[in-house]
Amino acid sequence: MNILVNDDYASMSQQAAAIIEAHICNHERTVLGLATGSTPLGMYEALIEGHQTRGVSFKRTFTLNLDEYIGLQPSHPQSYHYYMQHHLFSKIDIPLHQTYLPNGTAQSLSDECSRYEQIIDEVGPPDIQVLGIGENGHIGFNEPGSDFSGTTHVIDLAPSTLKANARFFHTVDEVPNKAITMGIQSILKSKRILLLASGENKAWAVKKLMEKIIDDQFPASALHHHPDVTLVIDQKAYSQIQSDRG
Ligand code: PGA
């Protein structure tokens, strides 16, 4: 596991985008595994800038998102379909039929999980999977206690996740309490993983990850089973490791 520590959120975002841009520019076809949440927003802005100012084209890029809330229509402003459309897809030249997210309003959620896993296998695996990390160590919506051999599945969101995500809704009660998420095994199929973390609220999770103790109560620790993981973080997210080292 490599760790790249940047001064701040802006340089972290630029660095992550540069890694992705380099892959797209040097390959005929790129499959990206994408994440939502606050952390990758700056990276998406930097990718859009690359498209607008340097002519980076996403016409041969395919995307597979990690997760989606259950019960939110794609038009709901807090759905991850809406997020991706708004923060990335509508601002670059990616053909929309090359973008995939789990359908959180499918009639049969178990069929949807199988369908999505099949898509991951047919389109993917991602050349680069972008991950955030929850304050509780979740990756995607694989909450503490998740099975490391899990594929795409329905999950009950942890109370700490509902609380953390309430900032996007009017009240915590509006946060959907279930989601469809790629499983940890699905995530580990990716060829390369970039885990982004920014801010002091992630410093504990980053420190715990770097302790290299594999524990299903800390889902991100499953990444130690993957051969090519890079943490792209900022100084604040690194702060607890740094203070321990004196
Ligand atoms: P955040 O979420 O980027 O909004 O902090 C990350 C996560 O919960 O995985």
Side-chain angles (χ1 to χ4, degrees), residues 3 123 140:
I3 181 162
V123 176

Side-chain angles (χ1 to χ4, degrees), residues 199-212:
E200 270 156 26
N201 60 326
K202 298 295 170 72
W204 177 82
V206 168
K207 180 179 158 201
K208 180 110 178 125
L209 181 56
M210 293 312 287
E211 284 169 2
K212 302 192 171 84

Side-chain angles (χ1 to χ4, degrees), residues 115-131:
R115 184 190 76 92
Y116 201 65
E117 200 62 33
Q118 204 178 333
I119 291 172
I120 297 168
D121 287 338
E122 285 171 11
V123 176
D127 298 297
I128 301 175
Q129 172 70 57
V130 177
L131 295 178

